Amino acid sequence: MQLFSRIITWLMALLLGIVFGTAGTITYSSMPAGIPIGFVVGIVGCAALLVALRMITEDRFAVVAAGVGMLGALVVLSGRGPGGSIVVPDSILGIVWSLGLTAVVVAIAAWPSASKLRALNAK
């Protein structure tokens, strides 16, 4: 039964990752008054979801599933659409968004477990 609940958690994390990745990828280029507000909100939102998943589930695979969803949405939206539109153009901001989101996913997924760090400090 525990495996079933973990699989459901991973699937929900994947779905949330797709939603957050899609929202961030669509809005990252929003720059009112020349300030990249969409980029900041997108990175912070995606990072917050990953950190929350890591803290709540204490399962690295849930974070990986959400990260796969985020990066999958980025890859799908980076290509040329059927009408010829491109959501993530080959620009400095587009490259920074792609690399920044990837770095956030990798950093949070690779971060050491807080419970293990507390156990090491207690010794």
Side-chain angles (χ1 to χ4, degrees):
M1 191 65 174
Q2 187 178 7
L3 178 63
F4 180 72
S5 65
R6 279 190 166 187
I7 291 173
I8 296 297
T9 301
W10 297 337
L11 290 174
M12 292 303 294
L14 177 69
L15 181 64
L16 281 171
I18 291 170
V19 169
F20 273 68
T22 300
T25 301
I26 289 173
T27 61
Y28 84 94
S29 62
S30 175
M31 293 182 59
I35 302 168
I37 298 294
F39 178 83
V40 173
V41 170
I43 286 288
V44 169
C46 288
L49 172 67
L50 295 172
V51 168
L53 281 171
R54 185 70 189 266
M55 293 178 71
I56 291 170
T57 64
E58 294 184 5
D59 184 8
R60 191 177 312 265
F61 292 112
V63 175
V64 170
V68 165
M70 288 175 188
L71 296 176
L74 172 66
V75 167
V76 167
L77 293 172
S78 293
R80 186 172 303 273
S85 63
I86 300 173
V87 177
V88 183
D90 188 18
S91 66
I92 295 296
L93 191 59
I95 292 169
V96 170
W97 169 253
S98 300
L99 295 176
L101 183 61
T102 304
V104 164
V105 168
V106 169
I108 295 172
W111 198 262
S113 174
S115 60
K116 291 180 182 176
L117 290 175
R118 276 188 241 118
L120 286 174
N121 287 334
K123 289 183 180 181

